[in-house]
Amino acid sequence: MLLVLWLLVLLPALAYAVRPRDGAVLAPARLAVLRAALVLGAFAVAVVEAASAFTALTATTVLIAWIAASVAIVAAVLVRCVRDVAPSGGQSLDAIREELRSRRGATRRTWRRTKSAAAAAPAWQWGLACVIAILAIAVAVLAIGSSPNNFDSQTYHLPRIEHWVQNASVAVFPTEIHRQADLGPGSEYLLTHLRLLSGGDGAYNLLQYLAGVGAILAASRIAAQLGGGPVAQLATVFVIATTPEVLLQASSTQVDLVAAAWVACLATIVLDEFTRPGEGAGSGPLLRAAAPHADALYLGLALGLIAVTKTTGLLAAGPLLLIWGVGRLVRDGHRRRPCLCGRSPGRCSRPDASRALASRAATVAASLAIVAIGLILVGPFLLRMHEAFGHPLGPPVLRESIGVHTADPRLLLVNALRIAQTGLDTPIPFLSDGVAAAIGGLAGLMGVDVNDPRITFGTTEFPVPAWYPDEDRAAYPLTGLATLAGLIWFAAKGPRLRRWYAAALAVAFLGFVCTVSWQPWVNRLVVFLIVLGAPAAGLLAAGLVKGIATTVADRRRRRAACALITAVAVAASLAGLLTVAYGYPRRLAGTFSVFSLTDLEERFVRRQEWLPQYEQAAAAVAATDPDTVGIVQGNDSWEYPWWILLPDGTELVALDSVVPGLEPPDPEDVDAIVCAEDIDQCERLTPEGWDFHDLGTVAYAVPPGGP
């Protein structure tokens, strides 16, 4: 916790150092925090990669890196402080003092206005704020009080961190679970810092919690950039904060919220290009000219962090960056000569070809810089994948299992409909089953299989119930429908920027359904789209309730809109509260409450029957005092419990490997063997004469004379 507090002190300090100039952008404080998060995230990734290059990924290396970062941030803060109070234009000392007093007075006036506005806020706004606060505190309790127990984290998210710490490098290692090597490691890079500096996984859940906070900050700022006032921004925060999947992931060691936060950071920086207060009448050329250079760094950092964390986020980053680039190029073509005749600029200036060419060249250079910065962050990982598997996107098994393998528009339509049905699933049986049956019937009419393997992950079958609050499946019926309605409203009536934004999200969704196969847990893969879409729902809600009703019909429509919004808000609040109280696999109340389970029981909530077997095998192996333990398992086995249960300092190595060219160690060279699920293979690899014990799902083997 001290480490987390250290980072929470560095973040606002760095935010102060990188904050934009006064009046340069909307919501500058939120942008400063997001900029600081991007810088710290990129720094953490760079430290892991740089240390691994020298096989020096150790606690000492990481500690030195963060001390150096702290010193650099303190220096940046001091430089910014000096710059903020430095004399300009030969100001006298008295003038500087007067300016400082003026700033303090402005700060006090702003604080008084904020307090007055809060005091005058309607009761319903305070109600929404209270719901948000209760949920935030409850999820924080879950994140701090729970042990990591996500299924995928037991299989590959957390074991890969232990291998990196053991090897002092993130280089590819022999493993039977290919996802430990080939899936984007960005989130795990951040957790590696916590692991090395704290020595355990006690703070792991806080990464996704803080990512959720960052995603909400970015989404609320997007709402402001799209024209939403305080009510729209509050509604946006409420929409995200009450979404069950977001609440469930905010206390887990999954990676979807981390990816969503980076995507939202990129989106809000893209929108800065079109929403700067100085971009209107009377704006100066210096502010506009500096924009691409100022934004390129942060857009590049966001792009790289998205790519190294979860590549599906690139489906939204692509169209958003395209809007940024095209928007700048179009604006560059309208650069005008300054007016020197004393008349208004609109009457006497005309396009300046030389200035337009220079501006376009700057935009192209900034675009190339964005790509280059992104590649610097993700490049080492892509290079390792190419060296290990012959392809920068990993082995064929990864691409074939997750991706869509057809261009048939009928199958793509079925894939889109199945993803939509799973995302909007409800606990109303006739509605859920009816929509699923209709999709199956449509597939039959088109002459295709609704579970065609080219658009379906593995052997899974559609449909599956997804309405209940499980972090791998929780649906978005309220959030999804509200977001969809808001985006349709954007497209039909919104200003041009809102239409572009809606178009970018539509392209992202189409890209998703054309590249990602349906799977039972597809809902957690689209968290980034939900975060990006929430501002549309917030603006729609604010638009429905604002304005003065002058006619009877207007008053009726407004009352109907308020009643609908109230019903949705109440339902969303109940869904959020029930999720943190009874969600799975972490909850505050009920049989499996975090307050009623031991640490190990929490870790095995999803597979309670496995705990006695793991404990028995680990105890028997530990009794032999081994230096090296071999692991045998299937592609979906739980490896992480071995790292928790076996004695500290025990080296764990896989006795099977799917990585070409990396041969696993000989079973004769290990001191004991533990297995999970793949028992037959484990027995075949057990050296002759060893004692083999099959416990059911788990097995172990020890030399003769062992327990």
Side-chain angles (χ1 to χ4, degrees), residues 632-648:
V632 181
Q633 54 209 356
N635 184 56
D636 211 29
S637 299
W638 283 17
E639 178 184 321
Y640 191 59
W642 300 125
W643 295 93
I644 299 297
L645 293 169
L646 291 174
D648 292 340

Side-chain angles (χ1 to χ4, degrees), residues 128-456:
L128 295 184
C130 287
V131 171
I132 294 169
I134 291 170
L135 292 174
I137 294 171
V139 175
V141 171
L142 284 174
I144 296 172
S146 302
S147 298
N149 60 1
N150 172 263
F151 193 102
D152 285 346
S153 296
Q154 308 280 22
T155 300
Y156 67 94
H157 285 309
L158 304 188
R160 71 197 307 192
I161 296 173
E162 298 302 321
H163 282 286
W164 296 340
V165 172
Q166 178 176 273
N167 301 334
S169 170
V170 295
V172 179
F173 51 86
T175 178
E176 176 68 12
I177 303 173
H178 70 87
R179 291 171 293 173
Q180 292 182 1
D182 55 35
L183 285 183
S187 183
E188 290 90 334
Y189 282 179
L190 305 183
L191 292 179
T192 299
H193 287 260
L194 295 176
R195 169 65 177 83
L196 286 169
L197 294 180
S198 68
D201 59 14
Y204 278 7
N205 291 335
L206 290 175
L207 175 62
Q208 283 258 109
Y209 182 83
L210 295 176
V213 173
I216 286 176
L217 284 177
S220 66
R221 187 169 187 269
I222 290 171
Q225 291 171 299
L226 294 176
V231 173
Q233 296 172 52
L234 176 62
T236 298
V237 173
F238 179 81
V239 167
I240 299 178
T242 56
T243 300
E245 181 66 20
V246 173
L247 293 170
L248 292 163
Q249 287 224 19
S251 62
S252 82
T253 45
Q254 273 288 8
V255 303
D256 303 285
L257 262 183
V258 176
W262 299 139
V263 174
C265 287
L266 183 140
T268 192
I269 296 172
V270 164
L271 293 179
D272 276 336
E273 174 58 33
F274 308 97
T275 60
R276 287 186 177 87
E279 289 291 347
S283 60
L286 291 179
L287 180 59
R288 292 196 297 268
H293 306 295
D295 289 345
L297 170 63
Y298 298 107
L299 288 174
L301 294 179
L303 180 64
L305 289 169
I306 293 168
V308 79
T309 301
K310 205 173 185 72
T311 52
T312 49
L314 297 176
L315 297 171
L320 287 169
L321 287 174
L322 182 63
I323 289 174
W324 181 86
V326 172
R328 284 214 60 85
L329 290 174
V330 170
R331 199 171 289 191
D332 292 340
H334 295 84
R335 298 294 182 192
R336 294 179 178 273
R337 292 191 180 96
C339 183
L340 303 176
C341 60
R343 298 157 66 187
S344 64
R347 296 180 59 189
C348 72
S349 63
R350 61 183 183 275
D352 188 334
S354 61
R355 292 188 65 197
L357 181 61
S359 297
R360 285 176 172 170
T363 297
V364 171
S367 301
L368 294 175
I370 291 169
V371 176
I373 294 170
L375 286 176
I376 289 173
L377 287 177
V378 73
F381 171 69
L382 297 179
L383 181 61
R384 284 196 300 276
M385 292 302 96
H386 188 272
E387 292 176 346
F389 302 106
H391 195 288
L393 298 182
V397 63
L398 174 65
R399 305 192 301 276
E400 292 170 1
S401 61
I402 296 177
V404 168
H405 302 285
T406 181
D408 189 332
R410 300 172 301 169
L411 289 175
L412 295 179
L413 175 61
V414 170
N415 195 43
L417 292 175
R418 292 185 306 170
I419 291 173
Q421 190 277 339
T422 306
L424 300 175
D425 192 29
T426 71
I428 305 173
F430 75 87
L431 182 60
S432 179
D433 297 341
V435 174
I439 295 173
L442 178 61
L445 289 175
M446 293 189 298
V448 298
D449 181 6
V450 73
N451 288 311
D452 190 294
R454 290 172 290 179
I455 56 171
T456 305

